[in-house]
């Protein structure tokens, strides 16, 4: 009919307008990218033409003449060289990637209109508003919305300052999954365990129980499904716990079961407010945001679908009453996963006042009372005790060490536990070792967090800088502080689980320094390093890492402290150990993802 044809033409015209609008945005983004690239080129030319750079180059060329090895002038020459290197700074401008810009633009923490109204000069720049904040405003201390204080986040987290990353981008990519705290832009609140939580916002994609049921019924493939709960959206980040949940979803789907995942909409500490929102996804597809009580009501209406698996991966930001009601739908049975130490203390890595490993002392001891997490730990422990007394949990840990540690520290003892490792290594034939120079290649594998041993890493890099004995590398998705090492950008994703292994092999890394100073429950980097043929060096406080190396002593060393590490590296023992380790070729293993359905 003519009416249908007219409607069709209007739809095509609207689609064409939308395409042109997107083309305009992309054109503007390309122009901005070109400007940034030109700025970087100019900065590099400025560096290469500087007096400091020329001095460094000349000093490097004549270093052997002015300071022969073994002479008293050698140490002085290297000190001058390192001092001059610090004069040269990396360009501060970062080139944003498309997904970085989209992540900022789509976040509820970025308010386009508010940002423009608060910063009239942005309109004069004629730059895309989100792009302006990403490459400029965030570094000038401008807030993206009333909900996020840029200055607070930068002042609170020194590693974010050092990384040179936009603060909101850091929070969206990493911070919220690491349980980092944010404050509203107008907050005068100081740090402390009793401080207020962030302001709540009403989500744009809020759905009703009726819409939830309609979506679920249209997507379900069977009458049975599992529910999982965690502290964040596993579809939006590639990290250890999230990858495990993704594996579990695929495993359930493989046998025909549906997989409903629930997570807090916002990063917060409260678990008692029933009006809080949760995000939901089904079989790897996001459905939207609901209130706790509405979601529970919707689930109870699914009379044709049977819940026979409830997996609790993490409880941060989750209403305990809601969890109890969910578990009642499966006769109060559930699987409780020990991915980290959050169920022992809200300080997930058991770091007293975020500085030193505390080993979870008695909750009424002085050692616990002096920590800022003390009151929060008591509150959380009371809630979890009630949860365990009310329900029948099977505790699942990724390692024997993690299960035994949790049983020792958790106050409720009447539970059954089992070990299901996230990854299994299947050893294959050794790879023939190629001849090369005597320099040992040492790597720090993973993000540059202090509890992962970054301070020790920087100390050994500084100690052995400028010497031919060692060459240092850092493999991570984000750079750490500047130093005499090579950063190799490496990102493990759900679609490329072996990216770290392949990159370590490509760079022929001899030693992986896994110097965690907290009780690791499971270490993907340990398995990646071993699979790549690296010899692992760790310390006695590293939890499952040291436990694994003690069981397989030929694959690594467990040292007492940093002093022992430096003494070892100054000697020739390490070279002899590596020679023995690689005498029959470089060890290799297949990295096999374990089945996570249990």
């Amino acid at each position: 009919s003519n009416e249908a044809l007219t409607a069709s033409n209007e739809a095509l015209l609207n689609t064409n307008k939308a395409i042109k609008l997107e083309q305009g945005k992309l054109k503007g983004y390309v122009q901005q990218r070109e400007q940034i690239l030109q700025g970087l080129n100019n900065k590099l030319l400025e560096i290469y033409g500087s007096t400091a750079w020329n001095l460094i180059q000349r000093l490097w060329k004549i270093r052997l003449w002015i300071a022969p090895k073994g002479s008293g002038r050698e140490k002085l020459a290297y000190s001058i060289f390192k001092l001059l290197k610090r004069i040269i700074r990396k360009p501060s401008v970062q080139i944003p990637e498309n997904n970085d810009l989209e992540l900022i633009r789509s976040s509820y923490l970025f308010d386009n209109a508010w940002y423009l109204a608060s910063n009239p000069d942005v309109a004069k720049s004629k730059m895309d508003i989100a792009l302006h904040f990403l490459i400029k405003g965030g570094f000038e201390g401008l807030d993206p919305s009333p909900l996020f204080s840029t200055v607070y986040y930068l002042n609170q987290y020194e590693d974010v300052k050092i990384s040179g990353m936009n603060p909101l981008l850091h929070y969206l990519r990493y911070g919220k999954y690491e349980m980092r705290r944010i404050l509203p832009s107008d907050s005068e609140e100081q740090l402390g365990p009793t401080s207020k939580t962030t302001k709540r916002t009403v989500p744009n994609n809020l759905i009703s129980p009726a819409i939830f049921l309609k979506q679920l019924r249209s997507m379900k493939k069977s009458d049975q499904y599992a529910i999982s709960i965690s502290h964040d959206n596993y579809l939006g980040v590639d990290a250890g716990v999230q990858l495990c949940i993704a594996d579990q979803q695929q495993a359930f789907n493989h046998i025909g079961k549906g997989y409903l995942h629930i997570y807090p909409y916002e990063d917060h500490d409260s678990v008692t407010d029933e009006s809080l929102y949760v995000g939901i996804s089904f079989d790897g597809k996001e459905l939207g945001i609901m209130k706790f009580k509405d979601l529970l009501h919707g689930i109870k209406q699914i009379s044709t679908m049977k819940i026979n698996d409830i997996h609790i991966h993490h409880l941060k930001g989750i209403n305990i009453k809601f969890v109890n009601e969910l578990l009642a739908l499966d006769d109060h049975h559930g699987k409780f996963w020990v991915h980290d130490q959050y169920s022992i203390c809200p300080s997930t890595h058991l770091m007293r006042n975020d500085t030193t490993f505390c080993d979870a002392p008695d909750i009424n001891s002085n050692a616990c009372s002096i920590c800022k997490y003390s009151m929060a730990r008591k509150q959380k422990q009371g809630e979890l005790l009630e949860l365990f007394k009310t329900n029948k949990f099977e505790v699942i840990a990724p390692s024997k060490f993690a299960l035994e540690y949790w049983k020792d520290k958790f106050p409720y003892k009447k539970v059954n536990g089992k070990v299901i490792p996230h990854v299994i290594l299947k050893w294959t034939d050794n790879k023939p070792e190629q001849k090369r120079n005597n320099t040992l290649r040492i790597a720090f594998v993973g993000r540059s967090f202090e509890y992962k041993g970054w301070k020790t890493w920087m100390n050994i890099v500084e100690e052995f800088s400028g010497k031919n004995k060692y060459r240092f590398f850092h493999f991570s998705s984000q750079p750490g502080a500047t130093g005499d090492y090579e950063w190799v950008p490496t990102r493990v994703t759900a679609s490329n689980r072996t990216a770290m292994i392949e990159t370590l092999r490509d760079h022929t890394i001899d030693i992986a320094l896994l110097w965690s100073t907290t009780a690791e429950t499971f270490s993907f980097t340990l398995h990646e390093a071993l699979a790549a043929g690296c010899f692992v060096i760790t310390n006695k406080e590293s939890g499952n890492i040291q436990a694994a190396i003690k069981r397989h002593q030929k694959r690594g060393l467990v040292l007492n402290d940093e002093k022992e590490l430096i003494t070892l590296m100054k000697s020739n023992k390490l070279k002899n150990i590596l020679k023995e380790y690689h005498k029959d070729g470089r060890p290799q293993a297949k990295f096999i993802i374990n089945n996570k359905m249990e």
Side-chain angles (χ1 to χ4, degrees):
S1 67
N2 290 333
E3 292 181 359
L5 187 60
T6 302
S8 177
N9 287 335
E10 287 180 358
L12 287 172
L13 287 171
N14 289 334
T15 302
N16 188 43
K17 288 179 181 178
I19 291 172
K20 287 184 177 180
L21 181 62
E22 287 300 315
Q23 285 177 335
K25 289 180 180 179
L26 288 171
K27 184 177 179 181
Y29 177 74
V30 169
Q31 291 174 346
Q32 293 298 334
R33 193 181 182 93
E34 289 174 348
Q35 291 175 11
I36 296 168
L37 285 170
Q38 185 60 48
L40 283 172
N41 287 331
N42 293 339
K43 186 71 176 178
L44 286 171
L45 289 173
E46 180 185 336
I47 289 173
Y48 291 145
S50 68
T51 303
W53 180 264
N54 289 325
L55 281 172
I56 289 173
Q57 296 306 303
R58 293 189 182 189
L59 176 60
W60 184 252
K61 289 178 181 178
I62 64 172
R63 68 192 186 285
L64 292 177
W65 176 70
I66 65 169
K69 285 193 174 183
S71 71
R73 297 189 299 275
E74 181 185 9
K75 187 173 182 180
L76 175 63
Y78 280 123
S79 297
I80 295 172
F81 179 75
K82 285 187 284 187
L83 178 64
L84 288 174
K85 276 184 69 177
R86 292 194 183 103
I87 298 173
I88 307 298
R89 299 293 182 188
K90 288 184 178 180
S92 59
V93 181
Q94 291 187 327
I95 303 175
E97 297 187 10
N98 290 322
N99 54 355
D100 291 346
L101 188 62
E102 186 56 36
L103 194 60
I104 293 285
R105 188 177 280 127
S106 62
S107 171
Y108 75 96
L109 291 172
F110 182 77
D111 187 325
N112 221 52
W114 187 90
Y115 185 74
L116 197 59
S118 303
N119 306 287
D121 291 342
V122 176
K124 296 177 183 178
S125 70
K126 296 182 180 180
M127 185 185 293
D128 177 272
I129 299 172
L131 181 63
H132 182 280
F133 174 76
L134 179 60
I135 67 173
K136 192 174 181 182
F139 301 101
E140 295 174 350
L142 304 183
D143 293 330
S145 75
L147 302 175
F148 187 92
S149 169
T150 297
V151 172
Y152 170 85
Y153 197 74
L154 286 172
N155 287 342
Q156 178 63 18
Y157 301 111
E158 187 67 23
D159 61 317
V160 180
K161 278 185 180 180
I162 293 172
S163 72
M165 193 174 189
N166 179 284
L168 178 57
L169 180 63
H170 182 280
Y171 176 74
L172 295 174
R173 281 212 177 280
Y174 310 105
K176 67 179 181 178
Y177 306 111
E178 295 158 1
M179 302 178 193
R180 301 202 186 201
R181 196 158 176 270
I182 62 174
L183 287 182
S185 63
D186 60 353
S187 175
E188 297 180 359
E189 178 188 335
Q190 301 297 313
L191 273 177
T194 59
S195 58
K196 302 175 185 177
T197 55
T198 58
K199 290 182 180 179
R200 305 289 187 257
T201 57
V202 178
N204 294 324
N205 54 339
L206 195 65
I207 61 175
S208 66
I211 294 175
F212 165 69
L213 286 171
K214 184 179 179 180
Q215 289 180 324
L216 212 58
R217 284 167 179 158
S218 67
M219 295 171 66
K220 78 181 186 74
K221 299 175 183 177
S222 72
D223 292 334
Q224 295 187 340
Y225 69 107
I227 293 178
S228 73
I229 301 171
S230 77
H231 61 307
D232 59 32
N233 182 4
Y234 75 100
L235 299 174
V237 66
D238 297 311
V241 176
Q242 294 78 10
L243 292 173
C244 292
I245 297 173
D247 294 337
Q248 188 180 66
Q249 175 229 310
Q250 292 175 11
F252 273 117
N253 291 164
H254 183 71
I255 62 171
K257 276 190 179 182
Y259 192 82
L260 180 69
H261 183 248
I262 304 167
Y263 62 94
Y265 169 63
E266 292 182 292
D267 180 25
H268 54 75
D269 297 320
S270 173
V271 293
T272 57
D273 186 353
E274 293 184 49
S275 68
L276 296 180
Y277 300 105
V278 291
I280 49 176
S281 65
F282 189 73
D283 288 352
K285 295 180 181 178
E286 294 192 47
L287 300 186
I289 309 297
M290 297 182 74
K291 289 184 178 180
F292 272 123
K293 58 183 181 180
D294 287 346
L295 175 60
L296 186 63
H297 176 73
I299 290 174
K300 288 180 178 179
Q301 302 306 306
I302 310 174
S303 58
T304 59
M305 297 175 70
K306 179 176 175 56
I307 302 171
N308 53 15
D309 274 294
I310 297 179
H311 293 257
I312 299 175
H313 289 279
H314 215 287
L315 282 174
K316 185 175 190 295
I318 296 293
N319 186 300
I320 297 297
K321 180 182 176 182
F322 168 79
V323 175
N324 270 319
E325 293 192 52
L326 265 184
L327 289 164
L329 300 178
D330 192 21
D331 196 27
H332 292 283
H333 286 80
K335 308 287 198 312
F336 190 92
W337 290 73
V338 180
H339 289 293
D340 55 31
Q341 311 298 355
Y342 181 77
S343 54
I344 296 174
C345 176
S347 176
T348 309
H349 305 292
L350 301 182
M351 304 296 284
R352 181 182 291 116
N353 295 316
D354 298 326
T355 56
T356 56
F357 179 61
C358 70
D359 198 27
D362 184 274
I363 200 165
N364 296 311
S365 67
N366 289 333
C368 185
S369 66
I370 62 173
C371 178
K372 68 180 184 180
Y373 293 101
S374 178
M375 293 303 296
R377 184 186 180 195
K378 289 180 179 179
Q379 178 186 348
K380 181 66 62 183
Q381 192 171 99
E383 293 171 348
L384 289 175
L385 274 171
E386 287 302 312
L387 183 68
F388 271 78
K389 288 176 181 178
T390 307
N391 303 286
K392 303 167 188 175
F393 282 116
E394 180 179 45
V395 175
I396 300 175
S399 66
K400 182 180 178 182
F401 171 87
L403 182 60
E404 291 177 348
Y405 192 86
W406 185 88
K407 282 186 172 182
D408 179 50
K409 301 296 183 179
F410 193 71
Y412 191 73
K413 305 299 181 183
K414 299 178 183 179
V415 290
N416 295 319
K418 68 190 303 184
V419 175
I420 302 180
H422 300 318
V423 171
I424 298 171
L425 295 183
K426 184 177 180 181
W427 294 97
T428 60
D429 293 336
N430 289 3
K431 180 181 178 182
E433 187 76 330
Q434 297 178 347
K435 289 185 178 180
R436 52 192 180 86
N437 60 34
N438 292 323
T439 302
L440 294 182
R441 301 161 77 86
I442 303 180
F444 185 96
V445 186
R447 297 282 302 282
S448 57
F449 297 126
E450 189 162 334
Y451 69 86
K452 292 288 187 181
W454 185 255
K455 184 177 180 181
T456 292
W457 168 256
M458 292 301 292
N459 287 343
I460 67 165
V461 168
E462 179 74 15
E463 178 73 27
F464 296 96
S465 176
K467 300 175 183 178
N468 294 326
K469 199 171 185 178
Y470 302 108
R471 186 176 173 191
F472 299 102
F473 298 82
H474 175 210
F475 294 81
S476 176
S477 59
Q478 268 194 287
T482 56
D484 195 10
Y485 64 88
E486 180 182 341
W487 172 53
V488 183
T490 312
R491 189 178 188 86
V492 178
T493 65
S495 59
N496 187 5
R497 299 296 294 274
T498 60
M500 183 65 74
I501 299 170
E502 293 163 4
T503 311
L504 289 170
R505 285 175 179 167
D506 290 344
H507 286 75
T508 325
I509 298 301
D510 297 305
I511 299 168
L513 183 71
L514 304 182
W515 202 260
S516 292
T517 56
T518 186
E520 296 275 9
T521 57
F522 187 85
S523 172
F524 279 94
T525 54
L526 169 66
H527 291 75
E528 289 163 340
L530 291 175
C534 303
F535 187 81
V536 172
I537 296 181
T538 188
N539 68 84
K540 64 181 181 180
E541 305 292 346
S542 60
N544 180 59
I545 300 175
Q546 58 86 28
I549 295 303
K550 283 180 178 177
R551 290 197 307 271
H552 307 283
Q553 295 183 19
K554 70 176 183 178
R555 302 201 183 279
L557 286 175
V558 179
L559 304 180
N560 290 315
D561 51 31
E562 182 182 311
K563 183 179 179 181
E564 187 176 358
L565 172 63
I566 291 176
T567 301
L568 175 66
M569 292 180 66
K570 285 181 177 179
S571 71
N572 290 321
K573 290 181 181 179
L574 200 51
K575 185 179 293 184
N576 295 332
I577 291 171
L578 263 292
K579 186 177 180 181
E580 177 66 20
Y581 187 55
H582 293 158
K583 70 176 182 180
D584 298 321
R586 184 173 287 262
Q588 305 283 285
K590 289 183 179 179
F591 190 82
I592 301 172
I593 306 300
N594 201 5
N595 192 310
K596 307 274 188 324
M597 292 188 296
E598 295 297 330

